[in-house]
Amino acid sequence: MWHCFSFKDNRRESGSSTSVYHCTLQGKSDQQLPDPAIVMVQFRAPEKQLNTSGSLGPPEEYTGRVDIEMDTPGTTSVIASVPMKARVGVARIHTPRTLQALVLTTSIGTSISRSVPLKNAGNIPVTVDLTVTKEQDVFTLLPSTLTLHPGQQSEVTVKFAPKHAPHTVSSLMTMCVRPGGPQYEVLLRGECVMMEKKPQGVPAAADAPPVLSNKQFLSWGGVPMGRALQQKLVLRNSSQTQTLKLDLTIRDDGNGCFQLQSSFMEHEQLSSSRQIILKPLEDFPVHLIFAPTRVATMQAKLVIKPPKGNTKFTIPLSGYGGTCNLTVEGLRAVSDMYIANLGEVSVGKKSTIDIPVRNTGSRAAFVKAMCFGDLSARTQLPANRVRVEPSEFVLRERTTKVISVVFHISEKEEAICAERADTIGTLGLFYGDEISRKQLRRALRKGSSERGLLADTNPLKGVNFDMQYLGEEHAQEVYDLPERPNDIRLFYSCMSRVMVSLVGRPPSSNTEERRRTSSVDSSVVERMAVQRRPPEPQQKLTNSPPVKGTPISKAFVTDKPKKDEAEQAELSSKSWSVQPEQLMLLAPGTGGDLDAAQVQVLNHTDRVMSFELSWPGHCLTVTPQHGKVDARSHQVILVSPNPATQGKPDIFPWRGNLFIHCDNGQKAVKIQIREDLALEKSTYTSAQLQPLVNQDATPNVTPAAGLHKDKSSPTAEVSVASKVLKFPPTRKGETAESCLDFRNASEKEMKWELTSFAPAYVKGVDDTNDIFRATYTVFRFARISGTLGATERIQIPVTFIPREIGSYSQFWDLQTELRGLSGGPAHTTRIQLIAQGKECMDTTDDSLPRNQQRSRKISGNNLSTTTARNGGSDSAKSSLVVPCDRYVFPVTVVDQSSTEKVLIKNDSATPVSVKFVSPRSPFKVNHHKYTLKGKYYVQLPVHFKPTQPGKYESLLVIQSELKGSFAVQLVGEATR
């Protein structure tokens, strides 16, 4: 469709379009380069009749090419070509059909807010401008501009703050799609009424609950894939007499990345909703975790509301999955920095070195390179002394950039390296996620200030990040996070740095001396540690990570008669000991808090002993490094993770040893550093508490959990057939089923709900016996809530879906409550799920196409009762057939869609009901239940719509109560 493209000729009065454009280019002169010619290319989409009833399908693509030729007599040839591509689709915005007018009623001095959901029902991304036609002083829209991708839904907040009472105003909220429409309108009506004075001591049922919060929003920034980061907010009941019961619910788009976390003793529970009770003037900490499952921006909101009433409070939640991680290639790492050898130094010489840096993370990184004259990075060297090229750039994920450092040697550097190799400068690489720098630039351009955020000694004080960075045009990441007041603070708190020590050596005249000083020896490392270590007592933990200790020297050998080595080792092992022999530490979080542990060196003799330590300095910080232990006493050693490991998730879980040399012997302490979840221990002050903005809500009563029991009230007792569900050994990537069977043992109708008590644990993933937490859904219940009549029985199918080998275990709580007694006593029964994942065997059939394998069916071990009750037989169980259990989608462009159809056959003469468990995004199915007639087959459409380039895999689980389950593997690849 090349005729849709044309040149716009502004030289003509009409500005008409043409397919051929002539221009004249001036020649190059001695003084300056000629001005370039700017040619405008426009695209006019063809007129087509739209299908307003059915599915729109993917947008259409049109391609063309601009050929550039030299206008000369005779034969011409193309000297350059520029490809062109345009996408044509439908821009369509949907709002609720019942939303004809938005009526907001409040009193003077207060405000009221309502949320209007908007959904992009078209097939191309749209940018919507939201404005209020009049009465802008009382109506406020947030945000004023909204970008929606196809199928994405977001909310616009309309706020009404009247200034006169009684008063009624009207206006229109317009939603116009850029650049030329369509435009939608919603009528706004604001009513300001006089506040009624109520007698004191008589509370009104419709009043908003007196809830205060120390945070009005929560922003996580970036969190690595497969990891979880926790934040905390505090709710306070400001009433002196009223006890509050509140329902907390997280509402998102179904990704489940935001979760509420509660703790019971040493166990943790994650859920999307819970219920709390606040006594008068009581503070309650609410812990929330963000565990992203894909590289994307994510938003949700925490809804706080009483079980009864029309008032709710919302706290927005936002974050994004995936982070960057910068490493230096080809250099030696010592402690928390790298060593770069500049070679011989002499006055007037230019020492040059190329340093390759690589982004091993999953997001683009911005990098700011700065050179300092000291290891503490406080004295920045001027540009005429050290030049770094490039000094500001953006590095895409899984790419490498070479930085050139040119050092102009002065008399100062020559004096430092006059006798030995030493550090003459430090290169600091400060980096972070490019998406967070975009948030910073947006905040600065809208009037926010960095004043007071950084200390005067901070090396980033005065550095301008609101500027064009080299290569930033290549980092085209989706950026739709809302504005937050702490965007600037979050930018600096999430920034990391890599330090490179620039080491020079004295000039050498002979070959042997040149070879001996060509590498950085341990003395340079020791001096680096001394310069960076602050003058603090040895017993106090410092944040400056020391380096690995030197080998034991003869000075530590006591003057004792020489004995046999075996006898000497035995005496040494009895003369002193170490407690404990192993430690478990938590990896450092973004808040900077370090998990410190103590190791004791005990002296069992009547003499003083000297000890020295050695350890992997890149992961541990140990204080003190050496010392003495008095007779019949002990010495405490503080051990903590190295702060430099923050933001490097690829090194965890980490294992290593701390070696203690004492009395001619050596003992080791085994240390592990992990990233398991832990409750935040930070404190808060009451001055940070603020009232929440109330909103109207529809009353919604959720099942109560953890309420105080009343002995006089009846309990919702339940009879569970088996509290331990075991699954057969299952290959990874396949599924197995079991069944939870329980009965209502009371004489009244009962509500029940299943919640996971803690994430699934797995043991035996690697060659160690370490226990890991699964970051995905391992056990899936067909139903998680419902009601049971008096003495009624129910069986819930449970699916086991392992992705790795190992022994899996998880606890779930079955919570029951008698219907009609909301807030009464609840009954909780703990259910344990046990399963084993094993290696997947190669069952590929070479006679089938590449994307097809023979199906593997796994029947549940507890379904025999259900099958017998329904008259099932072995012949019937083999009647459902899925010929292919692996489908490979064609390579798909980002934001477009491709479809594969999964074939399912029913070979029996009786109908079969099947259920389809939705695969993970970006795979999607629109049908979840189907009844397949006898001797019929069905082709289930599965859609693959990626939003980011890369390779994707997921499982489509097909369940049948009589015929077991099938796992179909889905494989897709996305490209730009």
Side-chain angles (χ1 to χ4, degrees):
M1 300 296 289
W2 58 268
H3 57 274
C4 297
F5 297 93
S6 60
F7 297 106
K8 186 175 182 180
D9 195 349
N10 293 325
R11 297 172 298 184
R12 304 180 183 180
E13 294 182 0
S14 60
S16 59
S17 301
T18 178
S19 60
V20 179
Y21 184 88
H22 296 273
C23 63
T24 302
L25 300 179
Q26 300 295 330
K28 179 181 178 181
S29 62
D30 297 335
Q31 287 79 15
Q32 60 183 1
L33 294 174
D35 295 332
I38 299 177
V39 181
M40 303 297 296
V41 181
Q42 65 181 5
F43 173 80
R44 188 181 301 276
E47 295 183 359
K48 297 181 64 176
Q49 186 173 1
L50 298 178
N51 182 12
T52 59
S53 59
S55 176
L56 294 175
E60 296 182 358
E61 285 196 357
Y62 296 86
T63 58
R65 188 179 71 247
V66 175
D67 291 336
I68 305 173
E69 301 176 351
M70 186 75 70
D71 191 3
T72 58
T75 305
T76 60
S77 59
V78 178
I79 60 176
S81 295
V82 179
M84 299 181 296
K85 183 171 68 174
R87 297 171 64 188
V88 177
V90 178
R92 183 182 297 168
I93 301 296
H94 278 183
T95 58
R97 294 183 178 179
T98 58
L99 185 64
Q100 301 298 330
L102 198 61
V103 180
L104 305 173
T105 303
T106 185
S107 58
I108 192 170
T110 63
S111 62
I112 185 172
S113 300
R114 290 281 185 87
S115 296
V116 178
L118 300 182
K119 182 178 181 180
N120 183 358
N123 55 6
I124 57 174
V126 297
T127 299
V128 185
D129 290 329
L130 301 119
T131 57
V132 177
T133 57
K134 56 181 180 178
E135 306 293 346
Q136 292 90 348
D137 56 335
V138 294
F139 289 108
T140 306
L141 298 181
L142 188 67
S144 59
T145 303
L146 193 63
T147 300
L148 297 175
H149 295 275
Q152 182 182 359
Q153 179 174 322
S154 185
E155 291 185 347
V156 178
T157 302
V158 182
K159 183 180 179 182
F160 175 57
K163 299 181 178 180
H164 305 285
H167 189 53
T168 300
V169 294
S170 298
S171 183
L172 282 178
M173 179 179 68
T174 61
M175 297 166 284
C176 183
V177 179
R178 295 181 183 174
Q183 180 171 305
Y184 305 86
E185 295 179 350
V186 175
L187 177 63
L188 302 180
R189 183 183 299 115
E191 298 178 354
C192 182
V193 297
M194 298 294 294
M195 182 179 297
E196 297 181 3
K197 296 184 178 180
K198 301 171 184 175
Q200 296 182 356
V202 182
D207 285 348
V211 182
L212 301 179
S213 173
N214 68 326
K215 296 179 181 179
Q216 303 298 307
F217 60 89
L218 289 177
S219 298
W220 269 264
V223 176
M225 301 292 294
R227 306 295 179 183
L229 185 62
Q230 182 196 83
Q231 288 200 48
K232 180 180 71 175
L233 62 89
V234 180
L235 299 179
R236 169 178 291 182
N237 180 4
S238 61
S239 174
Q240 298 183 358
T241 57
Q242 183 181 358
T243 298
L244 294 181
K245 183 189 297 183
L246 300 174
D247 290 335
L248 309 181
T249 306
I250 291 181
R251 295 182 182 174
D252 54 15
D253 57 358
N255 53 50
C257 296
F258 296 93
Q259 293 282 310
L260 289 165
Q261 181 184 17
S262 56
S263 178
F264 299 94
M265 300 177 64
E266 73 278 7
H267 302 287
E268 297 165 359
Q269 179 179 356
L270 301 178
S271 62
S272 59
S273 62
R274 64 177 301 190
Q275 194 173 75
I276 64 174
I277 296 178
L278 292 179
K279 297 179 181 179
L281 301 179
E282 181 184 3
D283 291 342
F284 188 90
V286 178
H287 297 87
L288 300 98
I289 67 165
F290 174 50
T293 57
R294 65 183 188 276
V295 180
T297 57
M298 301 170 192
Q299 299 181 47
K301 57 184 178 181
L302 174 64
V303 179
I304 306 169
K305 65 182 295 295
K308 298 180 181 180
N310 280 340
T311 303
K312 71 174 182 180
F313 310 106
T314 59
I315 296 179
L317 314 175
S318 61
Y320 59 89
T323 58
C324 63
N325 184 45
L326 202 67
T327 60
V328 179
E329 297 180 337
L331 296 183
R332 175 188 174 191
V334 178
S335 184
D336 63 336
M337 68 165 45
Y338 295 88
I339 304 296
N341 192 354
L342 292 178
E344 299 179 1
V345 296
S346 58
V347 177
K349 178 183 177 182
K350 292 183 180 180
S351 296
T352 305
I353 186 172
D354 292 336
I355 302 176
V357 295
R358 181 171 179 82
N359 181 6
T360 61
S362 56
R363 279 195 176 273
F366 72 88
V367 183
K368 172 66 177 179
M370 303 169 64
C371 279
F372 304 92
D374 54 347
L375 291 172
S376 60
R378 294 188 177 182
T379 305
Q380 185 175 357
L381 294 177
N384 58 357
R385 294 282 307 283
V386 182
R387 187 175 74 255
V388 182
E389 295 180 355
S391 58
E392 300 102 2
F393 59 92
V394 173
L395 189 61
R396 293 188 59 186
E397 62 274 15
R398 294 178 292 277
T399 57
T400 303
K401 186 81 172 179
V402 177
I403 300 176
S404 297
V405 180
V406 181
F407 206 117
H408 297 262
I409 306 300
S410 64
E411 296 180 355
K412 178 181 178 181
E413 286 78 32
E414 186 181 46
I416 294 176
C417 301
E419 298 180 356
R420 60 189 179 185
D422 208 335
T423 300
I424 61 175
T426 305
L427 173 65
L429 302 176
F430 299 88
Y431 69 95
D433 300 325
E434 172 63 9
I435 187 175
S436 67
R437 193 174 74 95
K438 291 181 179 179
Q439 289 180 271
L440 170 78
R441 301 181 71 179
R442 178 182 62 184
L444 293 176
R445 293 174 183 178
K446 292 197 174 184
S448 300
S449 175
E450 300 174 305
R451 186 176 303 172
L453 291 179
L454 301 178
D456 294 336
T457 58
N458 194 305
L460 298 178
K461 184 77 172 181
V463 176
N464 181 21
F465 290 97
D466 185 15
M467 59 182 297
Q468 186 81 13
Y469 270 40
L470 177 66
E472 71 175 46
E473 65 276 4
H474 301 302
Q476 300 297 330
E477 296 178 331
V478 177
Y479 171 57
D480 56 359
L481 290 172
E483 296 181 47
R484 302 291 189 222
N486 69 334
D487 283 345
I488 299 180
R489 184 181 300 274
L490 192 64
F491 167 80
Y492 286 107
S493 64
C494 294
M495 194 183 301
S496 304
R497 74 176 184 180
V498 173
M499 304 300 291
V500 180
S501 176
L502 306 177
V503 177
R505 55 185 174 86
S508 54
S509 57
N510 57 73
T511 305
E512 177 63 24
E513 181 67 16
R514 184 184 302 272
R515 184 192 62 81
R516 187 178 65 84
T517 61
S518 61
S519 61
V520 182
D521 58 7
S522 59
S523 62
V524 177
V525 176
E526 286 292 336
R527 289 193 299 274
M528 288 167 52
V530 171
Q531 294 180 43
R532 301 188 69 195
R533 192 180 307 124
E536 302 209 9
Q538 289 186 343
Q539 303 296 332
K540 187 173 182 180
L541 178 66
T542 65
N543 286 330
S544 58
V547 299
K548 184 169 57 178
T550 55
I552 189 72
S553 61
K554 294 182 180 180
F556 292 100
V557 181
T558 55
D559 296 332
K560 297 191 295 182
K562 293 185 178 181
K563 299 183 179 181
D564 183 75
E565 291 183 2
E567 182 180 357
Q568 186 175 358
E570 181 179 0
L571 291 176
S572 175
S573 63
K574 294 181 179 179
S575 63
W576 63 285
S577 62
V578 177
Q579 293 181 355
E581 296 182 353
Q582 58 181 1
L583 291 176
M584 178 76 74
L585 301 174
L586 291 177
T590 58
D593 296 333
L594 297 178
D595 183 22
Q598 293 185 355
V599 174
Q600 291 185 351
V601 181
L602 294 91
N603 183 357
H604 305 301
T605 67
D606 294 326
R607 53 188 172 84
V608 178
M609 288 187 178
S610 299
F611 70 90
E612 186 171 294
L613 309 177
S614 61
W615 68 93
H618 64 284
C619 284
L620 292 178
T621 297
V622 182
T623 306
Q625 304 176 46
H626 53 80
K628 295 182 179 181
V629 187
D630 295 334
R632 303 293 178 182
S633 182
H634 69 275
Q635 174 71 32
V636 176
I637 299 172
L638 298 179
V639 183
S640 63
N642 194 326
T645 59
Q646 177 181 336
K648 299 180 180 179
D650 53 327
I651 67 175
F652 299 117
W654 179 87
R655 305 178 190 87
N657 294 324
L658 169 65
F659 294 100
I660 303 175
H661 309 270
C662 183
D663 198 24
N664 290 331
Q666 174 180 292
K667 295 182 180 180
V669 178
K670 297 180 179 180
I671 300 176
Q672 289 192 44
I673 304 178
R674 307 188 65 87
E675 284 193 324
D676 293 340
L677 298 175
L679 286 176
E680 186 180 318
K681 299 178 181 179
S682 62
T683 59
Y684 56 89
T685 60
S686 59
Q688 297 173 322
L689 297 172
Q690 301 177 15
L692 295 166
V693 179
N694 63 314
Q695 301 174 359
D696 289 347
T698 303
N700 181 23
V701 180
T702 58
L707 302 178
H708 299 287
K709 294 184 178 181
D710 187 358
K711 296 182 179 180
S712 61
S713 302
T715 59
E717 296 184 0
V718 64
S719 175
V720 182
S722 176
K723 297 182 181 179
V724 179
L725 299 184
K726 295 184 178 180
F727 296 78
T730 308
R731 297 188 183 100
K732 63 179 183 180
E734 300 184 9
T735 64
E737 281 193 358
S738 183
C739 188
L740 175 62
D741 188 352
F742 61 93
R743 180 177 61 87
N744 182 4
S746 64
E747 298 297 330
K748 294 186 178 181
E749 190 177 15
M750 177 183 71
K751 295 188 297 184
W752 62 271
E753 183 180 14
L754 284 164
T755 57
S756 58
F757 183 77
Y761 292 86
V762 56
K763 183 178 181 181
V765 175
D766 50 16
D767 54 355
T768 67
N769 288 325
D770 293 335
I771 298 177
F772 296 89
R773 297 188 185 193
T775 58
Y776 62 96
T777 301
V778 177
F779 299 98
R780 179 175 289 164
F781 285 81
R783 293 179 60 189
I784 60 172
S785 63
T787 59
L788 276 181
T791 68
E792 186 180 351
R793 181 180 180 182
I794 191 172
Q795 292 179 329
I796 308 297
V798 189
T799 306
F800 170 51
I801 314 174
R803 297 185 191 172
E804 299 291 341
I805 62 173
S807 300
Y808 290 82
S809 177
Q810 188 177 18
F811 287 93
W812 284 68
D813 281 346
L814 174 60
Q815 297 176 340
T816 56
E817 182 184 81
L818 293 181
R819 195 169 183 85
L821 295 178
S822 179
H827 186 271
T828 301
T829 304
R830 182 141 303 159
I831 310 296
Q832 184 180 11
L833 309 178
I834 300 175
Q836 180 74 31
K838 62 180 183 179
E839 278 289 354
C840 180
M841 298 178 62
D842 188 8
T843 59
T844 303
D845 190 346
D846 295 335
S847 64
L848 296 176
R850 182 182 66 87
N851 68 333
Q852 297 185 6
Q853 297 176 1
R854 298 190 182 276
S855 61
R856 301 181 294 267
K857 184 173 71 173
I858 304 172
S859 300
N861 62 332
N862 291 337
L863 295 181
S864 57
T865 303
T866 306
T867 304
R869 183 186 62 182
N870 290 277
S873 62
D874 292 340
S875 61
K877 291 175 68 176
S878 61
S879 61
L880 193 66
V881 178
V882 181
C884 172
D885 74 343
R886 187 172 188 267
Y887 286 81
V888 179
F889 288 74
V891 177
T892 307
V893 179
V894 171
D895 292 333
Q896 295 192 13
S897 177
S898 58
T899 303
E900 288 286 340
K901 295 183 178 181
V902 177
L903 179 62
I904 307 168
K905 297 181 179 180
N906 182 9
D907 288 346
S908 68
T910 58
V912 177
S913 296
V914 292
K915 296 180 180 179
F916 308 113
V917 180
S918 297
R920 291 182 301 168
S921 178
F923 301 97
K924 181 183 179 182
V925 293
N926 296 328
H927 306 278
H928 300 282
K929 292 182 181 180
Y930 192 80
T931 300
L932 189 58
K933 298 179 181 180
K935 301 298 182 178
Y936 272 69
Y937 71 90
V938 66
Q939 289 183 319
L940 175 68
V942 181
H943 306 285
F944 174 57
K945 189 174 183 180
T947 58
Q948 293 290 336
K951 295 183 178 180
Y952 298 87
E953 291 186 9
S954 185
L955 287 179
L956 170 66
V957 180
I958 305 172
Q959 296 178 340
S960 174
E961 186 176 2
L962 295 180
K963 298 162 181 58
S965 296
F966 298 85
V968 178
Q969 186 180 15
L970 308 175
V971 180
E973 183 177 356
T975 181
R976 294 191 183 276

